[in-house]
Amino acid sequence: MDTRIFKDASDDVNRVVLCVINYLLASYVLSGVGLSSTYVQISSVVLATLSFIAYFVITPSLILVYLAQSVLLGRIFPQDLRGFEELVAFLILLFLVPVLDIIRADKGKSSVTAATLIASVISPLLVFTLPLGPSFKKDLKYQVLSILPLLYLGFSLQGELLKYIAFLIFVAVAAYLFSIQRELSLIGALPAGLAVWFLTSSPLYAALAVTLSLGVNAAKTFQLRTSEKRKEIEGLGQYRNGLLNRVTLFRNLVGKVGQVSNLPELREYINQLDELSKNVSRCQDMECLRFNESELDAINRTAKTRLNDYIFRQITQINEFSRELKKMGVVVDEMEYPGELELGQDMVVVINQVREREEKLYDLAGRFYRRLVGVVRESLGWSQDQFGELGDELSSIQKIIDAAVPELNQCEEMAAGLVREEAIFPREEAEKLTAMHLEYRTIKSPLDRILKAHQISREVYEGIEKFLQEVKAKYIEFTGLEDDLFKGKGDVDLILASVGKEQGVCPKLRQLSVTWRLSLDKLIEDLSTMHKLRDVSELVDSMREELVSRLKEDGCVNIVDMGLEEEYSSYLVAMLRAKGIQVKPEGSQICLKG
């Protein structure tokens, strides 16, 4: 059997009525089989008690037993046409309809009507119970089933058609009124009483019918109201708890977002949510809860809009910052804008990403600034005051670039001029520095120009410093020769001391290019002299004995005969004097002094 029939077990009024009627029906049926009165009473009580929990089995079974007993005892004669019709009507109206009502319609009210009909046949005094089935409050479509068994009365009221029709009409009206879900259904007791009055012409039975129908319907109405109230209270509690959970969840989300953002409005939202939670806890009806739910939705919408605006503003600032750094030559990608975000974990993730990107960007700008300061200080020799305080990274960087790039341009040109105009660098080194200078002229990025200018100027200065140290070492190597051979001998230490006082590569190059340019030319010439002296010295060392012998024999030696050009005569004289041989130049010859 379909388990839906057990749903009617909650209808206490219906079950109590069936217990009473089934007790009477069981007593009548059991008495008819010759059992003792004690056994009949005990069995009837047991069946009535079982009816409370299993009426859907007991009631149809008793009706079926009553039918069988009626046939066996001759109350119904299926041998003739009328008896057969009555038997069929009984099976359909008093057995099958209640069973279908129980199984298919999930109701048992037609069982009450069938049982009361049989009870009134057994005892006419119970005729006032006939409207009892429709008096239960239920949907109109199920009321139709509850009055169908009453059609069986037609077999008992032959010749009283008007009374039968009037009874059915008033019962139908009562059934309709009883189906109304509000207290208005109680007036259905009046047509129920009229139906019994038309059937019996007895005011007493009519009054009993009114009282019984009114009591049953009132009990059912009270039960429904109590159930509705209980469901309303339960529903109110569930709705309140659900709304409180939403408020708590939303507050937690706002708190998480607040931990990763610096939006001051979030504190205000949290305060509003705390107050809203208190208001929800105090609500005693659905209207109050729905009002506070609308308040929660409003806070949610406002917070969502402001947080999405906050994310958009932060990303816009980050991208503007990134574009400014790109203009300065720093390679950095812009951040993509997300779509509109709901307040939740995704928003927390995006705000974290925005914050991390912002931190990385400012860290990059800080490292760029420090690198720029280091390069500019090393190149131009700026003091800390010239850089100023680091406030807004971009403005500080831009100020440095605007001030440093023109000076570094001049510095690079000055370095290139020294490479181009002074024969200080070896050929390969000079070619490399010249190529770097040409590359510098094609660079557009401010940062790259600063770095390249710094590289060129530093390499040029280091090359010149190396040259100065080399010349200084060679002066020491050629100590003992007449000082008039070297035009810049006294300038090396002066240049190194003067340049060493400058704080920066470019000021050093400016000193070399402007103040010591002529001295550099002398040093270059002296270095060339030193190379010639070295050649002469090697020659003298290889021909010393022969040279001294010829000078003693002839008094003079032609330097051309020695494989030297005439311009080397002064160098040869200087080298011989340095070796203790006193000679003097005479044209292309060198001769011993007196």
Side-chain angles (χ1 to χ4, degrees):
M1 185 176 291
D2 195 331
T3 56
R4 292 178 300 166
I5 60 179
F6 289 96
K7 295 179 182 177
D8 251 347
S10 63
D11 192 347
D12 297 336
V13 178
N14 180 61
R15 288 182 288 173
V16 169
V17 170
L18 282 172
C19 284
V20 175
I21 295 175
N22 284 343
Y23 171 79
L24 297 174
L25 188 56
S27 298
Y28 178 80
V29 170
L30 293 174
S31 297
V33 296
L35 297 175
S36 65
S37 60
T38 302
Y39 185 80
V40 169
Q41 291 299 319
I42 293 174
S43 299
S44 298
V45 170
V46 171
L47 289 173
T49 303
L50 291 175
S51 296
F52 191 80
I53 58 174
Y55 70 89
F56 45 83
V57 175
I58 302 298
T59 302
S61 298
L62 288 174
I63 291 173
L64 199 58
V65 170
Y66 171 80
L67 175 61
Q69 191 180 66
S70 297
V71 173
L72 292 173
L73 296 178
R75 289 194 292 269
I76 297 176
F77 300 96
Q79 289 85 359
D80 58 25
L81 179 59
R82 181 182 178 281
F84 180 76
E85 290 174 350
E86 185 177 357
L87 176 62
V88 172
F90 190 104
L91 284 171
I92 293 175
L93 298 175
L94 300 184
F95 179 74
L96 291 180
V97 168
V99 171
L100 289 174
D101 186 18
I102 291 172
I103 296 176
R104 301 299 301 170
D106 200 13
K107 302 289 178 181
K109 307 308 182 290
S110 58
S111 297
V112 176
T113 305
T116 57
L117 184 78
I118 294 173
S120 65
V121 171
I122 295 172
S123 176
L125 294 176
L126 297 176
V127 71
F128 66 88
T129 64
L130 289 176
L132 196 56
S135 66
F136 289 95
K137 188 185 294 293
K138 50 191 174 292
D139 294 341
L140 185 59
K141 60 183 178 180
Y142 300 125
Q143 291 289 57
V144 175
L145 289 174
S146 70
I147 64 175
L148 281 179
L150 294 175
L151 295 175
Y152 183 75
L153 278 175
F155 291 97
S156 301
L157 297 174
Q158 291 185 359
E160 299 179 278
L161 183 60
L162 291 179
K163 182 185 292 189
Y164 175 65
I165 293 175
F167 172 77
L168 290 179
I169 289 175
F170 278 108
V171 170
V173 172
Y176 171 74
L177 293 174
F178 283 139
S179 69
I180 299 174
Q181 295 299 312
R182 300 297 175 184
E183 284 72 10
L184 184 63
S185 65
L186 296 175
I187 65 174
L190 294 177
L194 290 173
V196 173
W197 183 76
F198 267 98
L199 188 64
T200 64
S201 300
S202 171
L204 177 60
Y205 286 161
L208 290 173
V210 170
T211 302
L212 184 60
S213 299
L214 185 62
V216 170
N217 191 264
K220 185 61 178 177
T221 300
F222 175 77
Q223 183 188 40
L224 288 175
R225 287 291 168 267
T226 303
S227 177
E228 289 175 0
K229 187 63 177 178
R230 184 174 62 252
K231 290 180 180 178
E232 181 181 346
I233 293 173
E234 292 175 354
L236 187 68
Q238 292 175 354
Y239 201 93
R240 182 191 294 111
N241 292 335
L243 187 55
L244 285 173
N245 288 336
R246 282 187 61 197
V247 173
T248 302
L249 177 62
F250 185 54
R251 189 192 186 285
N252 291 338
L253 288 174
V254 172
K256 287 183 179 179
V257 174
Q259 292 174 359
V260 297
S261 68
N262 56 358
L263 198 62
E265 293 94 331
L266 294 182
R267 183 68 256 175
E268 175 187 346
Y269 294 144
I270 290 177
N271 293 336
Q272 291 178 1
L273 291 169
D274 289 340
E275 185 64 27
L276 186 65
S277 181
K278 296 177 183 178
N279 293 339
V280 171
S281 298
R282 290 192 290 263
C283 281
Q284 298 299 321
D285 54 57
M286 293 299 295
E287 183 179 356
C288 175
L289 290 176
R290 290 193 179 100
F291 173 78
N292 283 284
E293 185 176 30
S294 65
E295 290 292 303
L296 175 62
D297 292 338
I299 296 173
N300 191 350
R301 287 192 299 272
T302 304
K304 172 184 168 183
T305 300
R306 291 193 178 181
L307 284 168
N308 275 286
D309 290 345
Y310 166 78
I311 292 172
F312 181 84
R313 289 196 307 271
Q314 292 299 107
I315 294 178
T316 299
Q317 292 176 4
I318 287 172
N319 289 341
E320 289 176 353
F321 199 100
S322 300
R323 285 191 287 272
E324 290 300 319
L325 286 177
K326 281 182 181 179
K327 292 178 183 178
M328 298 172 188
V330 181
V331 179
V332 59
D333 294 329
E334 294 186 23
M335 191 172 184
E336 294 184 2
Y337 291 95
E340 186 177 28
L341 299 169
E342 295 295 331
L343 190 65
Q345 188 60 35
D346 289 344
M347 182 174 285
V348 173
V349 171
V350 171
I351 292 178
N352 267 324
Q353 291 174 346
V354 170
R355 187 179 64 175
E356 290 172 2
R357 176 65 71 87
E358 189 176 39
E359 290 174 353
K360 289 180 180 179
L361 196 60
Y362 281 110
D363 179 66
L364 177 63
R367 286 188 282 112
F368 177 37
Y369 173 83
R370 290 189 292 274
R371 184 183 183 189
L372 184 63
V373 167
V375 169
V376 171
R377 178 179 284 121
E378 186 178 346
S379 296
L380 301 178
W382 283 8
S383 65
Q384 186 60 45
D385 293 339
Q386 288 176 280
F387 290 104
E389 293 294 330
L390 177 58
D392 177 0
E393 287 87 346
L394 287 179
S395 61
S396 299
I397 292 172
Q398 193 60 55
K399 287 178 182 178
I400 294 173
I401 290 175
D402 292 343
V405 167
E407 291 190 36
L408 285 169
N409 284 338
Q410 295 176 4
C411 179
E412 195 279 333
E413 285 293 338
M414 189 165 50
L418 287 170
V419 173
R420 183 174 57 252
E421 298 170 9
E422 301 293 341
I424 294 175
F425 297 91
R427 181 176 178 179
E428 290 184 2
E429 184 69 16
E431 289 177 351
K432 185 190 79 169
L433 291 171
T434 300
M436 291 171 64
H437 168 67
L438 295 175
E439 179 187 357
Y440 174 79
R441 298 179 68 178
T442 66
I443 296 173
K444 303 298 182 183
S445 164
L447 175 62
D448 291 340
R449 288 184 69 83
I450 289 173
L451 294 177
K452 182 60 72 173
H454 169 68
Q455 180 187 4
I456 294 172
S457 58
R458 184 180 61 192
E459 291 192 16
V460 170
Y461 172 72
E462 289 174 351
I464 294 175
E465 186 180 37
K466 180 180 178 182
F467 166 76
L468 292 173
Q469 294 294 342
E470 180 184 354
V471 173
K472 182 178 179 180
K474 288 188 179 296
Y475 279 139
I476 296 173
E477 181 183 343
F478 289 98
T479 300
L481 298 178
E482 289 91 342
D483 290 338
D484 58 357
L485 284 175
F486 305 115
K487 300 177 181 179
K489 183 176 182 180
D491 293 343
V492 175
D493 289 331
L494 292 176
I495 294 173
L496 289 172
S498 176
V499 170
K501 295 177 182 180
E502 298 294 341
Q503 299 297 320
V505 173
C506 292
K508 296 177 188 292
L509 288 177
R510 187 175 294 106
Q511 282 273 0
L512 293 171
S513 181
V514 177
T515 305
W516 300 104
R517 191 63 170 268
L518 294 178
S519 295
L520 287 177
D521 292 340
K522 292 178 183 178
L523 294 177
I524 293 171
E525 185 177 346
D526 284 353
L527 187 61
S528 175
T529 298
M530 292 174 190
H531 289 155
K532 292 177 181 179
L533 285 171
R534 179 165 303 216
D535 294 340
V536 172
S537 176
E538 291 175 355
L539 179 63
V540 169
D541 288 341
S542 64
M543 300 178 59
R544 179 180 180 125
E545 294 182 0
E546 179 184 354
L547 183 60
V548 171
S549 176
R550 289 179 60 183
L551 284 173
K552 288 180 179 181
E553 292 177 2
D554 301 329
C556 293
V557 176
N558 193 317
I559 64 172
V560 176
D561 295 340
M562 297 176 62
L564 296 174
E565 296 180 4
E566 188 175 343
E567 62 178 314
Y568 279 85
S569 62
S570 59
Y571 303 131
L572 181 58
V573 170
M575 288 302 300
L576 290 173
R577 288 177 179 177
K579 294 179 183 295
I581 302 174
Q582 298 300 318
V583 293
K584 60 181 179 180
E586 291 183 5
S588 61
Q589 293 183 332
I590 56 172
C591 302
L592 287 173
K593 283 187 177 181

